Amino acid sequence: MLDTPRFTEITSTADIRASRHGSRAKCLQRLIRMDLPVPQTVALPFETVREVARGDMPDLHTLISLFDGQPLLLSVRSSSEMSDWGGPGAVLNIGMNDTAHAWLSNTLGHQAADALYLRFIKSFAIEVMRLDEEPFAEITTPAAARATYEDEMDEPFPQAIADQLGAVLRAMARAWDGTSARLLRQAQGAPAEAGLGLVVQRMAQGMGAGQSGAGVVQFVNPATGEPQVTGRYMGQAMGRDALLARDKALYLTEDPRGPSLQDLLPEVYQELIEIGDACRRRLREEMQVEFTIDQGRLYVLDAVRCPRESRASVAIAASLARDGIIPRSEALLRVPPATLSRLLHRQIAPSAEREVLARGVAASPGAAAGRIVFDSAAAQASDARDEACILVRRETTPDDVRGMHAATGVLTERGGSTSHAAVIARGLGLPCVTGATGLTISRRKREMRLPDGRVLSEGDMITIDGSSGEVMAGEVPTLEPALDGAFGDFMAWSDDVRDIGVRANADTVADATLARTFGVDGIGLCRTEHMFFDPARLTVMREMIFAESSTDRAAALERLLPMQRDDFTELFTLMAGLPVCIRLLDPPLHEFLPSEGEGERALAAALDRPLSEVKQRGAALREYNPMLGMRGVRLGVAVPEIYEMQARAIFEATVAASRDGAEVVPEIMIPLVTARREVELVKRRIDAVAAAVQAETGTRFNFRLGVMVETPRAALRAGEIAETSAFLSFGTNDLTQMTYGLSRDDAGRFMSTYVNEGVYPEDPFQTLDIDGVGELLLLGAARGRQARPDVTLALCGEHGGTPEAINFCRLAGFDYVSCSPFRVPVAKLAAAQCTILATRTAK
Ligand code: PEP
Ligand code: MG
């Protein structure tokens, strides 16, 4: 490698690299190559700055001699490799001393010269020499500032520009090594050894005679990304002054609210517009430009990537691609997938003030404000009054689902990212915060105690942010979702490149409709139990569970059959030939039991049985450990009539939906399998039902029977299980729970401690644990594929919507991932990004 000079003047041909001099230095070179009026600039590479921090200064006299003209005033700005990594703030007017002050008093006038000198002494004292701000706060003259400096430092204020510059470079180099700067940049993904470059630039004065001032301009609206010139300009100002004193600054474009730069200096304004356009084309980005007008003449001091909110980042990338400035693949790579999720939901307005009352797990994205309600009945009453409400519960059960339908958001004291509340809320697209530590909820007293001891009552207004996990006081302003043209482009372009399927976990027609609008490849998981939570169906379901004789059970199932058939017919018709994977009943039956008290009384009335009998039967069905109890395929083996009814409903719906055209090939999935024999038992019965329905209807159809791999044993025995399974779909929620032996409903309580203590790098229910659970997936996939090479492999746990899991599944050769409908856009973009990056690496 060539020795890098200790500093280099930035010219159009100089060897300036972002990886050596930082992105600001590189950007300035690009501006110079575009012939923009950039003041003379010298770049110090990372290595030189490291040496400066160690006390080895480059030859500053030679550096200074590269600049011509008198008096010489310089600025120093930081230039890290990626602009997001930050860096110490700029120091302006280096070189201000008694001589420069006298000279500027003659040329710019006393006032301007005093202001410059005062400003420099203060910033040198506070930002460079780290003196306390306080003694300088009231000072208004350079002489007084100098005296205070000399008092505090016990040495004269440095007059030589080399001394001043040396001190500035040293202070900035050392600030980069400070702990807080290091932590901040590491949070942005910077490596531990990330370097800092510095750029030393001749000051273009925005103070003094004629039209002089400084401003900042950008050419798109930072919230929407739509073309719009925004920013401010202020006369007799420097750097970003105009943004700090907005009420004294001018608008840029003509504006009814006050005077503008366009009125004042139309040619300069026009020049700025052309610069914006040139930057967009040549730098392939929307830039924010910092400029100075020195006696009517425009200088471009700096340009950075225009700051933007989620919606704008999608709109800008899409518009650059549509205009042919960047390829579509580049546009897709520029937007982090999670950004799309923010577009689908209301968001807290970034500028909104908020009082955070508590924090929990960000369980389902989006923000919602509403009055607190403590149960489903109150939620429904509130909904009937057209009043937004937040359902606040210790944790939710199936009984709360109707309340969730009526609420605008859900907050629970317990639970994590895959607890009942979280899974249902994500399916409904409802903002949800679970496991809000420190909250104590009393439904009886209808109040909620906050971590600081304050108490909120039913009817009090709160806002929850399911994207950050925050619970806030009152109604915090939010931004509307934004599914505009740019969003549609992103979906279509992602579909063009991705090479792994993305299906949706959809239980209802509403979910499936939403999934279709996002253009899914099918339904990867229809959790049939969710179809029974409708109050009318719940009663029949309970009758079935409470049946003591098989005749009574058959009678209840007979009533459930047409309901299920209608559900499936609607789903198949809606999905029009796309695959639909229906999971047979999974949860422990007790989840359908009535709550104690009122629920039990209502059921006794519906069944026309004594309350004591209902209580007794309920108690008999309760299990110590229901998630490991009588659920999933165990139910199918022990009470086979339930799965038979479901299979019949699926097949009859297949026949009904196929009549309208598109061939329907249903997929039936058996949950919680642990052994081959379970699959064989269920398969035999399902095959018999299929044969019966074909004979009864005189219609032939195909179907695929597969297994949900969600117990460690199923992953280990995937070889023999695959022999009777057309597909293996990994349920990583239960698989994570069982691999860790960690309750998905309770882990929220201590997960943050675990993550903070570094026990787990992340909550494994949110981010797939590649090392442990991932190994089981690889093992299961390999054994399954070896036994049956054409076996379809999928992942349908909540992780299916996360970029890490998608990348993992793609590399492992899975056919598709499946996730809640609202995560589909994120999953599609993440899948497209994996493919693009993999193709680039392969080239
Ligand atoms: C799973 O366990 O990963 C899964 C998808 O099923 P459920 O969340 O319904 O248990
Ligand atoms: Mg499961």
Side-chain angles (χ1 to χ4, degrees), residues 14 66 133 194 199 212 227 253 285 332 662:
L66 293 173
E133 265 184 79
V199 293
S212 294
T253 21
E285 185 46 289
L332 292 177

Side-chain angles (χ1 to χ4, degrees), residues 412-724:
T412 67
E413 180 188 327
R414 298 186 184 158
S417 55
T418 55
S419 59
H420 181 266
V423 172
I424 303 285
R426 276 199 293 273
L428 296 174
L430 200 63
C432 175
V433 174
T434 55
T437 33
L439 286 188
T440 321
I441 291 160
S442 165
R443 179 182 176 183
R444 204 171 44 77
K445 293 193 198 155
R446 306 223 153 249
E447 61 180 37
M448 163 169 104
R449 187 173 292 276
L450 301 175
D452 64 7
R454 278 185 290 167
V455 174
L456 296 184
S457 308
E458 193 151 68
D460 286 345
M461 180 65 81
I462 54 168
T463 301
I464 61 166
D465 185 351
S467 311
S468 70
E470 286 176 342
V471 182
M472 290 154 278
E475 183 170 359
V476 181
T478 53
L479 301 179
E480 290 295 324
L483 303 184
D484 48 18
F487 176 82
D489 287 345
F490 260 64
M491 289 296 89
W493 300 344
S494 297
D495 287 344
D496 289 345
V497 289
R498 70 188 161 89
D499 56 8
I500 179 167
V502 176
R503 294 198 195 180
N505 295 351
D507 311 329
T508 60
V509 167
D511 291 348
T513 310
L514 184 68
R516 280 229 77 164
T517 61
F518 294 148
V520 283
D521 301 323
I523 292 179
L525 171 62
C526 170
R527 295 174 163 107
T528 47
E529 56 272 18
H530 294 162
M531 294 169 160
F532 296 108
F533 292 139
D534 177 83
R537 294 180 176 200
L538 197 55
T539 312
V540 189
M541 189 70 180
R542 286 171 175 168
E543 283 179 35
M544 192 273 294
I545 297 168
F546 274 71
E548 278 179 0
S549 68
S550 53
T551 332
D552 284 356
R553 174 163 299 129
L557 286 167
E558 193 74 5
R559 287 169 62 203
L560 288 173
L561 173 68
M563 301 176 185
Q564 282 264 270
R565 185 174 53 223
D566 290 352
D567 291 333
F568 298 142
T569 311
E570 248 188 304
L571 267 188
F572 293 152
T573 311
L574 187 79
M575 297 310 289
L578 292 174
V580 176
C581 180
I582 293 168
R583 179 177 76 184
L584 300 172
L585 200 68
D586 178 41
L589 286 183
H590 91 268
E591 278 203 13
F592 294 99
L593 295 185
S595 54
E596 285 179 32
E598 198 189 320
E600 287 176 330
R601 281 194 293 281
L603 181 62
L607 294 172
D608 197 17
R609 291 265 182 60
L611 179 63
S612 59
E613 196 183 312
V614 168
K615 279 184 178 297
Q616 217 174 21
R617 188 95 177 93
L621 280 168
R622 283 188 215 287
E623 297 173 294
Y624 282 110
N625 210 338
M627 290 309 275
L628 300 178
M630 176 74 157
R631 57 168 285 212
V633 68
R634 295 161 203 171
L635 214 52
V637 171
V639 195
E641 300 97 311
I642 301 178
Y643 279 10
E644 281 175 350
M645 178 279 286
Q646 291 199 296
R648 176 167 278 276
I650 293 169
F651 295 138
E652 290 182 358
T654 302
V655 173
S658 302
R659 277 195 203 111
D660 302 333
E663 190 202 2
V664 177
V665 181
E667 296 176 351
I668 300 180
M669 179 151 75
I670 313 173
L672 217 76
V673 164
T674 55
R676 186 216 329 247
R677 182 76 184 137
E678 290 167 327
V679 187
E680 285 169 356
L681 287 174
V682 174
K683 182 172 172 7
R684 209 173 54 212
R685 285 175 181 271
I686 289 181
D687 284 344
V689 176
V693 175
Q694 303 205 24
E696 287 158 26
T697 58
T699 310
R700 292 203 64 74
F701 53 80
N702 292 314
F703 70 96
R704 304 176 78 219
L705 184 72
V707 159
M708 192 156 180
V709 180
E710 50 184 344
T711 64
R713 191 173 195 282
L716 295 169
R717 306 304 299 162
E720 58 186 25
I721 288 172
E723 284 168 15
T724 42

